[in-house]
Amino acid sequence: MPPTGLPVEEAARLEADAVLARLDSSAGGLSTGQATTRLRECGPNAVRSHHARALGVLGRQLRSPVLLLLAVTAAISAVIGNTNDAVIIGVILLASVGLGFVNEYRAERAAAGLHDLMRHTVAVLRDGQPTRVDVKDLVPGDVVRLAAGAVVPADIRLLEEAALECDESVLTGESSTVDKDLAPVEPGAGVSDLTSCALMGTVVRGGSATGVVVATGARAEFGRIALALGERQPETDFQVGLRRFSTLLLQVAAALTGLILLTNLLLHRPLLDSLLFSLAIAIGITPQLLPAVVSTSLAVGSRQLARKKVLVKRLVCIEDLGDMDLLVTDKTGTLTDGRVSLVEAVDPRGVTAPEVLALGLLATDVEGDSWTDTAAPAASAGNPLDAALWEGAAEGPTGYTRLEVLPFDHDRRLTSALVRAPDGSRLLVTKGAPESVLARCVAVPAAAQATLQARFGAAYRVVAVATRAAGEVSTVTVADEAGLELRGFLVLLDQPKASAHETLERLADLGVRVTVATGDNAVVAATVCSQVGVDARGTITGAQMAVMDDAALTERTRTVNVYARVSPEDKARLIRLLRADGRVVGFLGDGVNDALALHSADVGLSVDGATDVAREAADIILLEKDLGVIADGVVGGRRIFANTIKYVLMGTSSNFGNMFSAAAASAVLPFLPMLPSQILLNNLLYDTSQLAIPTDRVDPERVLAPSHWDVAFIRRFMVFFGPLSSLFDFVTFAVLLGAFHAGPELFRTGWFIESLATQTLVIFAIRTRRIPFWRSRPSWQLMAAALSVVVVGVLITVSPVSSLLGFTVPPPDFLAVVAVMVLAYLLLIEGGTRVFYADHRPAPVVPRARGITHQVHRRAARFSHRGPINHPGGPGARGPSALSEPATSSRR
C-alpha cells in the first residue's frame, strides 16, 4: 500500500533523508504512476467541496419546521376525509419548495462553475522533471518548490531552503514571520515551533525552498482546523444580517400565529382547520425565498460583472467588493498608462551620454549572458523597466560577455552584473534606485543631485548606473556593491492615464478612498498622484514606516494617501493596520511582490496578465488594469445588497400587515377569512414575482456608500408600514361585507385579489425613494413579473379551477373597486415613504472585526474540488481540533 503521509510533527523531528525514505520518495520526486496511485489512496488535497449538491439544497428548502408541520397537518386532513384541501395544499407546497430549490440550485451551480474556472497550481517534480500540477492533485512524497508570495500547498518537510520566512498567522494568529531551517526540531515541539517544516495554508513571506509533501488535505494541520470549522463556506456579514432579520420575523410570526390559533379555538372552530390556517399564515410571513433571492442576486451579479470585465473566484467576493471603502494600489497601470518608455540617458551633469544606456543594458533582467551589436535579448516580461531600456536602445552593448548576475531584490533595490569587457578586463555594473546606487558610490559629482531632482520633479522615473573595475572577482556578492563610480542616469516616463482623474472622482463619489503604495521614488510618486487628483500631501516612505510603531503608523494612515519606496512587507503591514482600524481594504497588485498584500487584504484584486502568484492570491481578476473596472465592481456589489433589501422591506410592509389583518378578521368573522390553500397560493404567486428583484435597477444614490444591516431600522419600517397595509385590508373587508354583502367564498376571493395585488405591486413604491416610474424606472423583468402575477391571480378566480380552490367569480365592479384601492394604497405608501425617511438617520457603522476564523475559511477556498472531502479515519487518525483563540508560541 502506498504511504498516506506522516504527521507533520513527526516529520519535523526526523532528518530529511529519513522522511524521504518513510514516504518512499526521493529528491527527484515521484513518478507519474506513483502520484496517480497515491491520489487514489489518499484522496484529493482538498478541505472544501464546491460541487452543487441537489440533495443539500433540497434539504435546506425542507428544513422549515413550519413547512413540515403544515405538510403533516395536511396529511392528517387527507386521512380524516378532507382530501381536496390536502391535495391542493400539497401541490402548492411542492411548487413553493420547487421554486426555491430551482433558483438556489442554479446559483450553486454558478458558484461551482466559478471555482472550476480558477485553478491553483504548484511547482512540483514528477518523473524527475519540473512541472506544474493542480494543488488538489498533490500527494505525500511529492517534491515541491516554494517561492516568495506562494501559499504553502500542503504540510512540507524542507529539503533545501534559502532564507525562507513564512507567515503562519492563519494558524497561530501571530503577525510576525517565522524563520525556517533544515534542522530537525526537538521532541515535544508544538505545531507553532516546527521550523523544519512549512505548513499548509501559510504564506511564504521571503526566500525560497524545496520540500517533500508529508500530509495533504484533512491530514494536514491546516486541513484539520478548516474541517473543524465546517466544509461549507462561512456566513458573510450580509448573510448574518439576513439570518438575524429572518429570526426577528420568525419570532413575530410565531407569536401572532399562536394568537390566531388561540382566537380560532376560543371561537370553537375546528382544531384542524384552525391549525392549517395558522400555519399557512406563518408560512406567508416567513421569508422563505431570502436564500434564493440572495443566491440569485449573487449569480446575476457575477454575470453582470463578467460583462464589465471583472471575474470573481467566489460569489461572496462580490459582497466584499461592495463593502470596500479603501483601495490600495500601485500607480503603474492604474494611475499611469503602464507603458514605460526611455526618454534619455544622461551623465551626472545631465548631458546626453549613450554609453550610460549601454552599461545599463548589461544589468538588465534578460535571457542569455552574451549578445552582439543589435541582437538584443528578450527582456523579462515581468520587468517593464528593463523591457523599456531594450526597446529604447539603438544597439546592444557590443562585445561584452555577462559572467554572473546578482538579481534585484527589494531590500537592496539593485541589480549587479559581472561582465567581461571587449578588452578582456572584468567590470562590475550596478543599476538600480538612485538613492541605493548613490549610497554605494564614491566622489559623487555635485551636479548629480540637481540632475536627479530635476527629473524627479518632472515625474520621470530614474535609474542610476554605476561601475567599478572587478579585477579577478569571479562571484558577485552584496559586499562587492561598494566603491562604485556613478556613470549617469537612465530617465524613463510612464504617462499619467488620461481617464485616471475622472475614475478617481467616481471612486470618491462611491465612498472609496484610493491610497497608492509604490516602489517608486517619493517625489515621482507624489508628482504623478497630484497630477491625477490623489492628495499627495504628507507622502511617507518605507524607511519612515520602518521606524514607526503600529500605533503611530495607524494614526498616519488616516491622513496619508501615498506611500513610496515600500517593500512587499511594508504593503502587507500597511493593509493589516488599515484593516485593524476598521477599514474594508481592497488591494490591487499584479507582481510576485504583491502576493503578501493580496493575501492580507479583505479583497485581493489582480489582473489577467499578472504573475501566477498574484493571480492565485487574488479573489477577483480584472481583465483590464483600470480603476474604472473596479468602480464597476463596487457598484455591482452594492446593487446586490440594495436589491435584497427591497425584498426584505416588502416583506415587512405587506406580509407583516397581512398577519394583523388575518388576526383581526379571524377574531370577528364567523368563518376563516381565507382558506389555508388560498394563503399558500397567494404566497407562491407573490414569491414568484420577487425572483425578478435581482434584475432591478438601483438608484445611483443607493450605491454611493457601503450598506450595512440595520435590524432596528427594519423593525421601525415594519411597525410604520405594516398598519398601512392592514388599513387597506380593513377597507377591503368593509367594502366586501358592506357593499357586496359577501359570503365566505366572495370574501375570500376578494381579499385574495386585493392582498396579492397590494403586496406584489408595492415593490414599485418601496424600491426607490424617488418618484416611481418617472425618476426611477424598474427593470422590465420586474415590471413584467409583478404585473403578470397579479393578472394570473385574477384569472385563477374566474377560471374553471376557481371553485376547486374555494373561490367564486368576483363581480366586475368589485375588480374596478380593487383597482382604485390598489392605486390609493400605492399613493399612500409613497407618501408614507417620504414621511418615514424625512427624519431617518442611518445607524453608525460598527467596524467589522474579522479574526483568524475568517482567514482560515478564506484560505481554505483555494483547496477545493468537485466531490466529497476525504476525511482521515481508522486507527490512529486524529480528530479535528477546533480553532478558537490564536495560539501562543514560544519560538526558538
Side-chain angles (χ1 to χ4, degrees):
M1 179 181 294
T4 57
L6 289 173
V8 69
E9 296 98 328
E10 182 178 348
R13 295 193 297 268
L14 299 174
E15 294 287 349
D17 289 343
V19 173
L20 288 171
R22 290 278 297 274
L23 294 172
D24 192 19
S25 184
S26 69
L30 302 173
S31 67
T32 300
Q34 285 178 306
T36 302
T37 301
R38 295 188 186 191
L39 186 60
R40 284 197 300 267
E41 176 65 24
C42 301
N45 181 33
V47 296
R48 289 287 183 270
S49 175
H50 66 252
H51 68 287
R53 302 179 179 90
L55 291 179
V57 175
L58 182 61
R60 289 198 292 277
Q61 303 302 314
L62 298 173
R63 202 170 294 160
S64 167
V66 176
L67 185 149
L68 290 176
L69 186 56
L70 181 58
V72 170
T73 309
I76 295 173
S77 180
V79 170
I80 64 176
N82 196 357
T83 308
N84 283 347
D85 280 354
V87 170
I88 292 169
I89 290 172
V91 169
I92 294 173
L93 281 177
L94 287 175
S96 181
V97 169
L99 184 67
F101 167 78
V102 168
N103 282 277
E104 197 167 344
Y105 184 60
R106 284 174 57 191
E108 279 216 357
R109 291 185 61 184
L114 285 176
H115 275 283
D116 287 340
L117 289 174
M118 302 296 173
R119 293 185 68 240
H120 297 286
T121 61
V122 59
V124 63
L125 286 175
R126 291 273 174 91
D127 300 312
Q129 298 297 318
T131 186
R132 297 196 71 86
V133 302
D134 197 298
V135 68
K136 70 177 184 292
D137 294 330
L138 277 186
V139 294
D142 265 327
V143 173
V144 301
R145 179 73 177 169
L146 302 177
V151 173
V152 179
D155 281 351
I156 291 170
R157 175 58 167 96
L158 300 176
L159 304 177
E160 299 175 1
E161 65 89 23
L164 184 67
E165 299 177 346
C166 291
D167 176 354
E168 296 183 348
S169 60
V170 73
L171 297 177
T172 66
E174 296 183 2
S175 59
S176 57
T177 59
V178 181
D179 295 328
K180 299 294 183 176
D181 55 49
L182 303 181
V185 303
E186 298 294 331
V191 173
S192 58
D193 295 299
L194 303 181
T195 53
S196 60
C197 292
L199 303 177
M200 179 182 184
T202 62
V203 179
V204 179
R205 290 289 295 267
S208 60
T210 300
V212 60
V213 173
V214 298
T216 59
R219 294 178 175 85
E221 288 300 316
F222 176 82
R224 295 194 304 115
I225 292 171
L227 287 176
L229 297 176
E231 290 186 32
R232 304 293 301 179
Q233 287 294 327
E235 288 184 317
T236 64
D237 296 335
F238 183 75
Q239 291 166 331
V240 169
L242 282 177
R243 177 171 49 78
R244 289 174 179 169
F245 164 71
S246 300
T247 300
L248 167 67
L249 216 53
L250 282 170
Q251 290 170 345
V252 175
L256 289 181
T257 300
L259 176 63
I260 293 171
L261 178 60
L262 179 61
T263 300
N264 279 271
L265 292 178
L266 290 176
L267 293 174
H268 304 291
R269 290 175 183 154
L271 172 62
L272 198 58
D273 290 348
S274 300
L275 183 59
L276 282 169
F277 176 73
S278 302
L279 292 174
I281 287 289
I283 285 181
I285 188 60
T286 52
Q288 294 181 78
L289 275 193
L290 264 180
V293 168
V294 174
S295 299
T296 303
S297 292
L298 290 170
V300 169
S302 70
R303 291 193 292 271
Q304 291 172 337
L305 290 179
R307 288 195 292 270
K308 294 180 180 293
K309 303 181 180 180
V310 179
L311 303 181
V312 295
K313 291 185 178 180
R314 297 173 295 132
L315 289 180
V316 294
C317 298
I318 300 174
E319 297 172 18
D320 289 331
L321 190 57
D323 279 344
M324 184 177 72
D325 59 8
L326 192 149
L327 174 67
V328 181
T329 178
D330 191 2
K331 65 179 180 62
T332 303
T334 51
L335 305 184
T336 66
D337 287 331
R339 294 188 295 272
V340 184
S341 58
L342 178 67
V343 175
E344 59 180 348
V346 297
D347 66 14
R349 298 170 299 164
V351 178
T352 301
E355 68 275 9
V356 175
L357 175 58
L359 290 170
L361 293 175
L362 294 170
T364 51
D365 182 10
V366 297
E367 297 176 1
D369 293 326
S370 64
W371 49 87
T372 59
D373 297 327
T374 58
S380 168
N383 192 329
L385 288 179
D386 286 353
L389 294 181
W390 279 103
E391 290 170 4
E395 60 180 12
T398 307
Y400 287 89
T401 300
R402 190 159 63 170
L403 304 176
E404 190 177 37
V405 176
L406 191 60
F408 179 90
D409 68 53
H410 279 82
D411 291 326
R412 296 164 37 250
R413 299 188 180 278
L414 301 172
T415 302
S416 291
L418 178 65
V419 301
R420 184 167 52 244
D423 62 3
S425 64
R426 295 193 174 196
L427 185 71
L428 179 69
V429 182
T430 297
K431 172 177 69 68
E435 56 266 40
S436 298
V437 173
L438 292 178
R440 291 163 171 80
C441 289
V442 294
V444 176
Q449 283 294 343
T451 300
L452 189 59
Q453 293 305 317
R455 271 65 180 179
F456 282 158
Y460 289 118
R461 302 179 71 170
V462 181
V463 175
V465 179
T467 64
R468 76 171 177 85
E472 297 302 318
V473 171
S474 58
T475 300
V476 183
T477 66
V478 173
D480 293 317
E481 296 173 327
L484 303 172
E485 177 188 355
L486 179 66
R487 302 298 295 272
F489 304 107
L490 303 173
V491 183
L492 304 103
L493 178 64
D494 185 4
Q495 290 280 5
K497 187 173 290 186
S499 62
H501 196 284
E502 180 182 349
T503 304
L504 288 169
E505 287 184 341
R506 185 183 174 201
L507 284 168
D509 290 341
L510 292 171
V512 179
R513 173 182 154 201
V514 175
T515 290
V516 175
T518 177
D520 212 341
N521 173 270
V523 177
V524 175
T527 302
V528 172
C529 288
S530 297
Q531 288 173 345
V532 298
V534 175
D535 184 359
R537 290 174 297 178
T539 298
I540 62 176
T541 65
Q544 292 170 321
M545 292 172 62
V547 298
M548 297 182 189
D549 60 21
D550 285 354
L553 183 54
T554 298
E555 185 63 31
R556 290 296 303 276
T557 63
R558 294 167 185 163
T559 55
V560 171
N561 290 319
V562 180
Y563 301 82
R565 289 295 193 225
V566 290
S567 67
E569 291 76 16
D570 292 332
K571 294 178 183 178
R573 181 190 178 202
L574 174 63
I575 288 173
R576 174 175 61 83
L577 295 180
L578 289 168
R579 293 183 64 230
D581 199 34
R583 308 304 296 264
V584 180
V585 183
F587 178 80
L588 173 60
D590 58 5
V592 172
N593 297 311
D594 292 321
L596 301 181
L598 287 166
H599 288 304
S600 301
D602 288 300
V603 190
L605 302 108
S606 193
V607 293
D608 192 39
T611 60
D612 290 341
V613 173
R615 284 202 310 273
E616 292 200 358
D619 303 300
I620 294 174
I621 303 297
L622 310 178
L623 299 185
E624 287 184 4
K625 191 175 183 181
D626 185 351
L627 293 181
V629 176
I630 297 177
D632 290 337
V634 171
V635 171
R638 294 178 185 176
R639 284 186 70 258
I640 292 169
F641 186 94
N643 278 333
T644 305
I645 284 295
K646 293 175 186 177
Y647 178 88
V648 170
L649 296 183
M650 286 183 64
T652 56
S653 63
S654 56
N655 292 9
F656 183 69
N658 286 344
M659 290 283 292
F660 282 109
S661 303
S666 62
V668 299
L669 292 175
F671 52 83
L672 290 177
M674 206 182 292
L675 296 177
S677 59
Q678 294 168 347
I679 295 172
L680 295 174
L681 177 61
N682 184 302
N683 191 55
L684 175 63
L685 292 172
Y686 164 75
D687 279 347
T688 302
S689 71
Q690 304 319 298
L691 287 173
I693 286 179
T695 68
D696 192 27
R697 297 183 178 94
V698 174
D699 296 337
E701 62 269 18
R702 301 296 298 275
V703 297
L704 293 182
S707 299
H708 302 276
W709 278 95
D710 184 353
V711 176
F713 163 76
I714 295 172
R715 189 185 301 114
R716 286 196 304 107
F717 194 96
M718 178 168 52
V719 172
F720 184 90
F721 287 97
L724 294 182
S725 175
S726 293
L727 173 64
F728 270 79
D729 286 335
F730 296 149
V731 172
T732 302
F733 298 163
V735 170
L736 286 167
L737 295 173
F740 293 92
H741 309 291
E745 288 187 344
L746 180 56
F747 185 94
R748 292 161 181 162
T749 303
W751 191 29
F752 175 86
I753 294 173
E754 182 269 342
S755 173
L756 179 63
T758 54
Q759 71 176 355
T760 301
L761 298 180
V762 77
I763 182 61
F764 298 122
I766 295 287
R767 60 173 293 278
T768 179
R769 298 182 193 179
R770 299 181 173 193
I771 299 175
F773 298 101
W774 181 26
R775 295 190 58 202
S776 178
R777 291 184 298 109
S779 68
W780 69 265
Q781 296 97 326
L782 179 60
M783 187 177 296
L787 295 177
S788 298
V789 160
V790 175
V791 170
V792 168
V794 173
L795 291 178
I796 286 175
T797 63
V798 300
S799 69
V801 300
S802 174
S803 58
L804 185 64
L805 293 168
F807 294 127
T808 187
V809 177
D813 51 348
F814 173 73
L815 294 178
V817 171
V818 168
V820 173
M821 290 175 58
V822 168
L823 179 60
Y825 173 68
L826 296 180
L827 291 174
L828 178 63
I829 293 296
E830 176 64 20
T833 299
R834 304 199 176 282
V835 173
F836 179 80
Y837 286 113
D839 61 348
H840 170 62
R841 297 290 183 272
V845 176
V846 178
R848 63 180 182 181
R850 286 182 162 179
I852 190 170
T853 299
H854 174 79
Q855 281 185 282
V856 171
H857 276 299
R858 182 182 175 194
R859 193 68 49 79
R862 69 175 42 243
F863 301 101
S864 174
H865 80 127
R866 275 185 177 266
I869 301 302
N870 187 29
H871 293 262
R878 297 177 300 167
S881 60
L883 182 69
S884 53
E885 298 301 319
T888 57
S889 67
S890 54
R891 301 202 182 282
R892 295 180 301 159

